[in-house]
Amino acid sequence: MKAVTWHGRRDVRVEDVPDPRIEEPTDAVIRVTSTGLCGSDLHLYEVLTPFMTPGDILGHEPMGIVEEVGPAVPDLMAGDRVVVPFQIACGNCWMCLTGLPTQCETTQVTGEGMGAALFGYTRLYGAVPGGQAEYLRVPQAQFGPIKVPEGPPDDRFVYLSDVLPTAWQAVEYAAVPPGGTLAVLGLGPIGDMSCRIARARGAERVFGIDLVPERLARAGRNGVETYDLRAFDDEKALVNAIRDETGGRGPDAVIDAVGTEAHGSAAAKLAQTATGLLPRKLSGPLAERFSVDRLGALHMAIDLVRRGGTLSLSGVYGGMADPMPMLTLFDKQIQLRMGQANVRRWTDEVLPYLTDEDPLGVEDFATHRLPLAEAPHAYEMFQHKQDGAIKILMQP
C-alpha cells in the first residue's frame, strides 16, 4: 500500500509499505477514505525529529471503512464506516473507566514513561504506524473506532478523530462561566474550532488572537472578535486592549492553542533546531532531559487571563526544562488544565452537533483537499501557511 513516511527534518515521502494485517484478537483493519494533516504532525516534521525513525508512517486523523476485524471485536463488522481516534485505548482499565483514555493502562508506553499509545507519533508514544495511508491496522478496536452513518460526506465526521474532541476538551477545561468571556491564542484548526464550540455553548464574547490574515478573517466571519498581533507594538499592548474590553480584568479563561510552535523566542527555536540536527544517538537523550519550548504564547496567556481565571492548554508542549513564571501563576490564583484530548470521553457530547444544520461548520472546515500522493506538498504548504492553508484533508 501507499503511505506517508518520515525520513528526516522536513522530509516526508509517499512510499510503498507492507499492507497491515490482524495481529491481535482486538485488532481491526480499515481502508482509509480521508485523513487529516494536523498541526501536531508539523512537530514531527520540524521539532521532534530526535524521536523519529526513518520509515515511520505518519498521521493520526483517519476515517474509513472496516475491511477485517479480529475475533475479540464484537461490535464492528466489515463494511462499517468508522472514525479512528488518535489515541489507542482499551476502554476497560481504571484510567479509561475514569474518563482518561489518554492514560490507558493497557497501552501506556511505560518504557518511555509516557501515556497511551498514539497513531503515527514517535517512539515516545509507541511508534504505531499512522493513518496517512491507504490502510490502517487499529489496535484495541473493541473500544476505539466510532461508528458513523452512511450518507454524509467524510468532512462531517472525520474531525471526531482529533480536532473536535481536542477543541471540546479545551473549552471544557476552560470552564467559561455562563455569559463569560474567553480568549483563544492561535486560530489554527484547534483554536478556530474552540471558538466555534465556545460560542455554541454560550460564551458571551470570544476573542481570537493570531497573526495570519486568513485565520483572522475566517474566525471573524464566525462571530469571533479578532486581534491581529502584528497591529500592536508589543504583546503587552494587545493584552491591555483585551483587558479594556473586559472591565479591566481580562477574560475569564484563555485557551492556548499554539503550543511549542509559538511565535518568538529565537533562543528556544535555535535550541530546538540544533538538537534536531545532532546525530540521533545524541539528540534523543538530550531532547528528553534538556528540551525547551518556545513559551511566548503561554506567557501571554498567563498575563492575559483575569485573576482567578482558568488557562486551558491544548497546544502541544514537549519541553523538560521550561522556565515557568510560578510567582505570577500563584499570585494570580490561576487554574491550569492541560493534556491530550480524551477522545472517547467527549464524542457522545460532540455527535449531536454533527447534524445537517452543521452548527460548527465542519463540512467546509477544510481549506484544502489533496490526494495522498501530494502529501509532501501538503506538509510544505501547511508548514509555511501558503495559499491560505488552515486545514488539509488527504484522500488515498
Side-chain angles (χ1 to χ4, degrees), residues 40-359:
S40 296
D41 292 323
L42 295 184
H43 298 311
L44 312 182
Y45 193 62
E46 183 80 37
V47 177
L48 297 179
T49 58
F51 306 110
M52 299 294 289
T53 301
D56 282 348
I57 299 175
L58 301 173
H60 58 269
E61 296 186 350
M63 70 173 292
I65 306 299
V66 174
E67 292 281 305
E68 185 181 2
V69 297
V73 184
D75 297 325
L76 288 182
M77 60 178 7
D80 283 344
R81 188 187 192 196
V82 295
V83 180
V84 180
F86 69 87
Q87 67 214 201
I88 303 168
C90 72
N92 296 313
C93 69
W94 186 89
M95 285 291 183
C96 287
L97 294 174
T98 308
L100 293 169
T102 55
Q103 312 303 326
C104 175
E105 292 171 321
T106 300
T107 73
Q108 276 181 16
V109 187
T110 54
E112 300 287 351
M114 305 299 280
L118 309 179
F119 286 103
Y121 215 78
T122 84
R123 65 171 173 80
L124 295 179
Y125 288 100
V128 181
Q132 291 174 5
E134 293 181 312
Y135 293 90
L136 175 69
R137 171 181 167 253
V138 182
Q140 303 298 328
Q142 80 288 349
F143 175 67
I146 305 157
K147 287 198 284 188
V148 296
E150 296 294 334
D154 280 7
D155 293 46
R156 176 82 62 87
F157 302 114
V158 67
Y159 304 114
L160 286 169
S161 60
D162 184 349
V163 173
L164 282 166
T166 297
W168 189 277
Q169 179 172 292
V171 174
E172 186 75 17
Y173 281 7
V176 182
T181 54
L182 171 70
V184 178
L185 305 185
L187 296 174
I190 302 302
D192 185 348
M193 186 56 74
S194 295
C195 291
R196 300 181 190 204
I197 289 171
R199 284 179 51 78
R201 294 180 62 180
E204 181 175 337
R205 299 180 73 182
V206 176
F207 307 100
I209 301 162
D210 208 297
L211 42 70
V212 179
E214 293 86 356
R215 293 179 175 184
L216 291 160
R218 175 162 139 142
R221 290 193 294 270
N222 288 301
V224 177
E225 300 175 51
T226 58
Y227 288 77
D228 187 340
L229 187 58
R230 300 167 303 167
F232 295 85
D233 292 336
D234 53 33
E235 293 179 358
K236 189 66 177 180
L238 187 152
V239 167
N240 287 335
I242 296 178
R243 280 183 182 158
D244 289 343
E245 294 292 322
T246 54
R249 291 183 297 273
D252 297 305
V254 175
I255 293 173
D256 173 2
V258 178
T260 192
E261 289 295 303
H263 175 69
S265 189
K269 180 178 181 181
L270 179 62
Q272 290 174 342
T273 303
T275 302
L277 294 174
L278 289 170
R280 291 179 63 250
K281 288 184 178 180
L282 296 176
S283 62
L286 281 173
E288 288 181 63
R289 296 183 59 191
F290 303 113
S291 55
V292 295
D293 291 302
R294 285 175 272 173
L295 296 175
L298 178 56
H299 284 272
M300 184 177 175
I302 292 167
D303 190 19
L304 178 58
V305 70
R306 70 163 170 83
R307 291 178 177 271
T310 303
L311 293 185
S312 173
L313 306 189
S314 64
V316 175
Y317 287 98
M320 293 294 286
D322 291 332
M324 287 288 288
M326 296 305 299
L327 174 62
T328 304
L329 285 165
F330 184 84
D331 177 66
K332 292 185 72 172
Q333 202 169 334
I334 291 171
Q335 301 175 75
L336 178 61
R337 296 198 71 181
M338 69 186 83
Q340 303 275 11
N342 296 286
V343 175
R344 290 308 304 268
R345 166 67 178 83
W346 308 115
T347 49
D348 288 347
E349 296 181 31
V350 176
L351 276 166
Y353 287 82
L354 305 183
T355 61
D356 289 341
E357 290 74 27
D358 195 15

